[in-house]
Amino acid sequence: MTDSKIYQASTTAPVNIAVVKYWGKRDAKLNLPTNSSVSVTLSQKDLRTHTTAACSATFPSEDTLLLNGSPQDVSGARTQACFRELRALRSALEAQDSSLPKLAALPLRVVSENNFPTAAGLASSAAGFAALVRAIANLYELPSSPTDLSRIARQGSGSACRSLFGGYVAWQMGNEVDGSDSVAVEVAPTSHWPTMRALILVVSAEKKGVSSTSGMQITVATSELFQRRAEVVVPKHMELMEKAIKEKDFETFAKVTMMESNSFHATCLDTYPPIFYLNDVSRAAIRVVEDINAAAGKTIAAYTFDAGPNAVIYFEEKDLDAVAGPLKSALSGLDGWQAAEREIKVQGLDKVDERAVKVLKDGVSRIILTSVGEGPIKTEESLLKADGTALRQN
Amino acid sequence: MTDSKIYQASTTAPVNIAVVKYWGKRDAKLNLPTNSSVSVTLSQKDLRTHTTAACSATFPSEDTLLLNGSPQDVSGARTQACFRELRALRSALEAQDSSLPKLAALPLRVVSENNFPTAAGLASSAAGFAALVRAIANLYELPSSPTDLSRIARQGSGSACRSLFGGYVAWQMGNEVDGSDSVAVEVAPTSHWPTMRALILVVSAEKKGVSSTSGMQITVATSELFQRRAEVVVPKHMELMEKAIKEKDFETFAKVTMMESNSFHATCLDTYPPIFYLNDVSRAAIRVVEDINAAAGKTIAAYTFDAGPNAVIYFEEKDLDAVAGPLKSALSGLDGWQAAEREIKVQGLDKVDERAVKVLKDGVSRIILTSVGEGPIKTEESLLKADGTALRQN
């Protein structure tokens, strides 16, 4: 008799935004990077993927993945690698303990929902693969640590490995050919430095021209400056950044964050043909951050940009008015300000470049005000109906 | 009795646009660069400085310089260095031959006129200092070669040394501490490869934020990637570029030109705080050049950008329609197309990105269609009236 039970587990997982950037693979299949990186995990209150992983003998025999109600292709090497590695761990458990149900052999049904627009360029694949791996690990009741799981999530999407932890997270590039030491580790938990805030300016983007996966491969192949970044610049920034986080030294954190972003985008521009992620709106955001820091007489805000034009501005809670004030004054009409933990004083618009403000007004479509936050959180909230079908399916 | 004669000589001098870029000084006082560079001298029909240098015992005792009718400050170290070195050469001649009039002791009056807007970011200081040095050398009847004069013009404005020659010109960075071997030499004359054309898209610019003089010093001081550019990238590009020019190999010329521009702007972006010269209009020009090359199935056009958003697009005369056609179609309303040596076929607009074309339409204020051209040309046309005062003075 077949077991008709539907086994399932659910989790949420966060987005992370790197302050030392991942760009360049030394092994494209295993997603092994050419340099280490560091990120801040962002609060799941504002940005998270919610995932339910289920398996059952009653499911059709193919593994499936539904994202925001739409079926996704799971035949790609990256998703397959995650499924395969997690199943292997489950099989090992089952081999040790014959009383365990034989879940590894059952088809998987994974259902995911983001609480933010997937297309907005907000590192959705990091949260997505972290949630997928964490949910299946929970389903399989694996004893794996977040670092163990990061090794698997990395194969889904490089930066996903960092979303297995909350707070401040390093992805150590590792040296091994099989990637066994290319994993995420905690630099410091959220509680160590809980006052870190992030203001995201979502830019009404042109469609992304170059995917980050192909982009970084072209950079490695063609940029003459890239090698120096990987060999000299990033190791130095890693050391400075880990120390800054441990000492809660915002000025160093900020300076390294900004130089890192610039260095990464410089190697994109040095790629042939060149890759541009920053546009005039991004430049205006940089100018406004520079003006905010100049007005404060010290560095209280740091910009960083991933593979897209959105600005992420890090600052400390005590500087909420000084940093978010001018931006709220400029962008008061946009959604997102209501999420502030306290009313932001509308002020300081006179301290920032007028032309940059105009460019932001025309080019920013939405803001997200968030903070450093926790890693994946187990939840009982399932995205499946009692019969095992998805609550939402387009 | 005092000699009341007004001695004078006039010349015109060209603009040059580098294809291997000068950025970074190893000695700011002597304008000694951190790397060699190569440029194409542009035709004086379209872009030139016309300068008359005069001296007379009847002039007031101060040296003066008038540019486009406005008095300029000549007390700066750069102008003073040019005056001093040229006077020293004249003094040496006078010491050898006592029959020569004692011009070195007389006050200088230099009058210059550009045939293009000074503020448009079109390398006006290069043409300006080349014309100043050449005109005074003519006035003093110096036997100096263009390379000798380039050593002096370099001290006025680094890239001015390349405007002492026509055609294809290298500025050898040199090794000596006194700058004696940091000079311009001819790579090939105009006649070697006369079919080189340049289409300049003048961008309705924001005022330039960072001067190139201070910008390059901040890059040297702060960019971690810059050192690799100076030590590894540029020497390689110099070799490829000189060979490409000698062999009239446009594809290599074009590829190195584009990679050089990107590498230079990458180190600007890697500067802290970052320096941006490219804006969304520049990016659109890059996109259109990429599309033109894609449509041709080979590289027939090359973009390059100096310290500003203007695009200079190099191509060969035989590709006039294929390169300038789409741009004329997009920008037909602008001044400048009437300078074409033959009617440009309006064509190919369907082959270039529609959104990029829209950005160019909104952001390009003027086009200049020109070609490789000659070095400084002696002229009898004086910018002085018979009484020694300037024809035009604001």
Side-chain angles (χ1 to χ4, degrees):
Chain A
M1 193 187 104
T2 309
D3 178 0
S4 66
K5 188 174 167 188
I6 296 169
Y7 297 88
Q8 62 171 293
S10 296
T11 192
T12 60
V15 160
N16 71 76
I17 299 289
V19 288
V20 175
K21 299 293 189 189
Y22 159 49
W23 192 256
K25 300 181 206 275
R26 65 179 199 274
D27 182 316
K29 188 166 161 285
L30 290 171
N31 272 349
L32 301 181
T34 48
N35 59 254
S36 298
S37 53
V38 175
S39 59
V40 179
T41 295
L42 298 185
S43 168
Q44 297 178 58
K45 187 165 146 278
D46 305 297
L47 299 166
R48 58 125 187 88
T49 298
H50 178 186
T51 295
T52 297
C55 59
S56 172
T58 65
F59 290 170
S61 64
E62 300 284 309
D63 299 330
T64 59
L65 170 59
L66 212 62
L67 173 60
N68 297 330
S70 299
Q72 307 292 306
D73 178 16
V74 298
S75 69
R78 289 141 165 269
T79 310
Q80 285 298 314
C82 293
F83 287 176
R84 186 176 60 244
E85 298 247 355
L86 291 159
R87 276 197 168 102
L89 292 173
R90 173 68 189 182
S91 294
L93 288 185
E94 292 170 5
Q96 281 165 21
D97 178 352
S98 61
S99 73
L100 291 176
K102 301 287 181 287
L103 303 189
L106 300 178
L108 281 164
R109 177 172 293 171
V110 182
V111 181
S112 280
E113 299 272 354
N114 292 335
N115 67 346
F116 58 92
T118 306
L122 289 166
S124 55
S125 68
F129 273 104
L132 177 144
V133 169
R134 184 74 260 184
I136 298 174
N138 293 350
L139 169 69
Y140 287 168
E141 298 185 331
L142 303 179
S144 312
S145 69
T147 289
D148 291 337
L149 295 180
S150 78
R151 196 180 289 112
I152 300 174
R154 185 201 76 227
Q155 296 174 61
S157 169
S159 56
C161 74
R162 296 185 310 238
S163 277
L164 268 312
F165 286 92
Y168 304 83
V169 188
W171 175 8
Q172 298 169 334
M173 63 177 288
N175 297 308
E176 300 297 333
V177 173
D178 66 358
S180 53
D181 59 348
S182 186
V183 294
V185 296
E186 184 185 87
V187 176
T190 310
S191 59
H192 166 72
W193 198 2
T195 51
M196 185 66 72
R197 299 291 175 270
L199 174 59
I200 306 176
L201 308 182
V202 180
V203 172
S204 357
E206 341 165 14
K207 204 175 163 308
K208 197 157 133 183
V210 178
S211 84
S212 47
T213 296
S214 68
M216 64 175 78
Q217 292 306 83
I218 307 170
T219 300
V220 173
T222 65
S223 168
E224 295 276 359
L225 302 179
F226 176 76
Q227 195 186 336
R228 187 172 169 90
R229 166 167 166 76
E231 288 175 5
V232 177
V233 178
V234 173
K236 187 174 140 188
H237 285 168
M238 284 297 293
E239 196 181 326
L240 288 169
M241 181 57 82
E242 296 197 36
K243 186 162 179 281
I245 289 169
K246 279 170 183 154
E247 296 175 355
K248 293 183 269 187
D249 168 1
F250 186 83
E251 294 221 25
T252 304
F253 170 92
K255 192 174 170 192
V256 176
T257 294
M258 293 187 277
M259 292 182 88
E260 256 300 304
S261 177
N262 296 335
S263 166
F264 152 49
H265 290 283
T267 62
C268 290
L269 173 48
D270 189 52
T271 301
Y272 189 78
I275 301 170
F276 293 97
Y277 291 120
L278 305 181
N279 65 16
D280 283 356
V281 185
S282 316
R283 287 173 60 197
I286 288 174
R287 175 59 193 268
V288 166
V289 167
E290 289 174 345
D291 289 349
I292 287 169
N293 287 334
K298 60 181 179 175
T299 305
I300 61 171
Y303 54 78
T304 187
F305 300 83
D306 280 347
N310 295 341
V312 177
I313 302 171
Y314 284 116
F315 60 97
E316 289 185 286
E317 197 281 331
K318 67 181 165 61
D319 295 316
L320 179 64
D321 288 330
V323 176
L327 287 157
K328 187 178 178 187
S329 309
L331 304 171
S332 57
L334 296 183
D335 262 3
W337 295 110
Q338 66 285 357
E341 54 210 304
R342 56 184 166 86
E343 181 73 14
I344 298 164
K345 211 169 140 190
V346 170
Q347 62 157 29
L349 194 57
D350 55 313
K351 290 170 184 153
V352 297
D353 184 70
E354 203 177 330
R355 203 170 43 201
V357 165
K358 194 185 168 306
V359 174
L360 291 184
K361 277 184 178 165
D362 291 345
V364 174
S365 60
R366 179 185 166 185
I367 71 104
I368 298 167
L369 192 54
T370 187
S371 64
V372 60
E374 302 300 332
I377 299 169
K378 199 168 181 170
T379 172
E380 294 307 311
E381 201 179 323
S382 173
L383 295 173
L384 298 180
K385 297 184 205 162
D387 66 359
T389 60
L391 284 175
R392 173 158 80 111
Q393 180 146 15
N394 298 339
Chain B
M1 196 188 103
T2 310
D3 178 2
S4 66
K5 186 171 170 191
I6 295 168
Y7 298 88
Q8 62 172 292
S10 296
T11 192
T12 60
V15 160
N16 70 77
I17 300 288
V19 288
V20 175
K21 299 293 188 188
Y22 160 48
W23 192 257
K25 300 181 205 275
R26 65 180 199 274
D27 182 316
K29 187 166 161 286
L30 290 171
N31 272 347
L32 301 180
T34 50
N35 59 255
S36 297
S37 53
V38 175
S39 58
V40 178
T41 296
L42 299 185
S43 168
Q44 297 178 57
K45 187 164 145 278
D46 305 295
L47 300 165
R48 57 124 187 89
T49 299
H50 178 187
T51 295
T52 297
C55 60
S56 172
T58 67
F59 290 170
S61 64
E62 299 284 308
D63 297 332
T64 59
L65 170 59
L66 211 62
L67 174 60
N68 296 330
S70 300
Q72 307 291 307
D73 178 16
V74 296
S75 69
R78 290 143 164 267
T79 310
Q80 284 298 314
C82 294
F83 286 176
R84 186 176 59 244
E85 299 245 356
L86 291 159
R87 277 200 167 102
L89 292 174
R90 173 68 191 182
S91 293
L93 288 186
E94 293 170 6
Q96 283 165 20
D97 178 354
S98 62
S99 74
L100 291 176
K102 301 285 179 289
L103 302 189
L106 299 179
L108 280 164
R109 175 172 294 171
V110 181
V111 181
S112 280
E113 300 272 353
N114 292 335
N115 67 346
F116 58 91
T118 306
L122 290 167
S124 55
S125 69
F129 273 104
L132 177 144
V133 168
R134 184 74 260 182
I136 298 175
N138 292 351
L139 168 69
Y140 287 169
E141 297 184 331
L142 303 179
S144 314
S145 70
T147 289
D148 291 336
L149 295 181
S150 78
R151 196 180 288 113
I152 300 175
R154 186 201 75 227
Q155 296 174 59
S157 169
S159 56
C161 74
R162 296 185 310 240
S163 277
L164 268 311
F165 287 92
Y168 304 83
V169 187
W171 174 9
Q172 298 169 335
M173 64 177 286
N175 297 307
E176 301 297 332
V177 173
D178 66 358
S180 53
D181 58 349
S182 187
V183 293
V185 296
E186 183 185 88
V187 176
T190 311
S191 58
H192 166 72
W193 197 2
T195 51
M196 184 66 72
R197 298 292 175 269
L199 174 59
I200 306 176
L201 308 181
V202 180
V203 173
S204 357
E206 340 163 18
K207 203 176 163 308
K208 198 159 135 184
V210 178
S211 84
S212 48
T213 296
S214 69
M216 64 175 78
Q217 292 305 85
I218 306 171
T219 300
V220 173
T222 66
S223 168
E224 295 276 359
L225 303 179
F226 176 76
Q227 195 186 335
R228 188 173 169 87
R229 166 166 167 75
E231 288 175 6
V232 178
V233 178
V234 173
K236 187 173 140 189
H237 285 169
M238 284 296 295
E239 196 181 327
L240 288 168
M241 181 57 80
E242 296 197 36
K243 187 162 177 282
I245 290 168
K246 279 168 184 156
E247 296 174 357
K248 294 182 267 186
D249 168 1
F250 186 83
E251 293 221 26
T252 304
F253 171 91
K255 194 175 169 193
V256 175
T257 294
M258 293 187 277
M259 293 183 87
E260 255 300 303
S261 177
N262 296 335
S263 166
F264 152 48
H265 290 283
T267 62
C268 290
L269 173 48
D270 189 51
T271 301
Y272 189 80
I275 301 170
F276 293 97
Y277 291 120
L278 306 181
N279 65 16
D280 283 356
V281 185
S282 316
R283 288 173 59 197
I286 289 174
R287 175 60 193 266
V288 167
V289 168
E290 289 173 346
D291 290 349
I292 286 169
N293 287 333
K298 61 180 178 174
T299 306
I300 59 171
Y303 54 78
T304 187
F305 299 84
D306 281 347
N310 295 342
V312 176
I313 303 171
Y314 284 116
F315 60 97
E316 289 185 285
E317 197 280 332
K318 68 183 165 60
D319 295 315
L320 178 66
D321 288 330
V323 176
L327 287 156
K328 187 179 179 187
S329 310
L331 305 171
S332 57
L334 296 183
D335 261 3
W337 295 111
Q338 68 283 358
E341 55 210 304
R342 54 184 167 87
E343 181 74 13
I344 298 164
K345 211 168 141 191
V346 170
Q347 63 157 25
L349 196 56
D350 56 312
K351 290 171 184 154
V352 297
D353 185 69
E354 202 176 330
R355 203 171 41 199
V357 165
K358 193 186 169 306
V359 174
L360 291 184
K361 276 184 178 166
D362 291 345
V364 175
S365 60
R366 179 185 167 185
I367 71 104
I368 297 167
L369 192 53
T370 186
S371 64
V372 62
E374 302 300 332
I377 299 169
K378 198 167 180 170
T379 172
E380 294 308 310
E381 200 178 324
S382 172
L383 295 171
L384 299 179
K385 297 184 207 161
D387 66 359
T389 61
L391 282 175
R392 174 159 79 112
Q393 180 147 15
N394 297 338

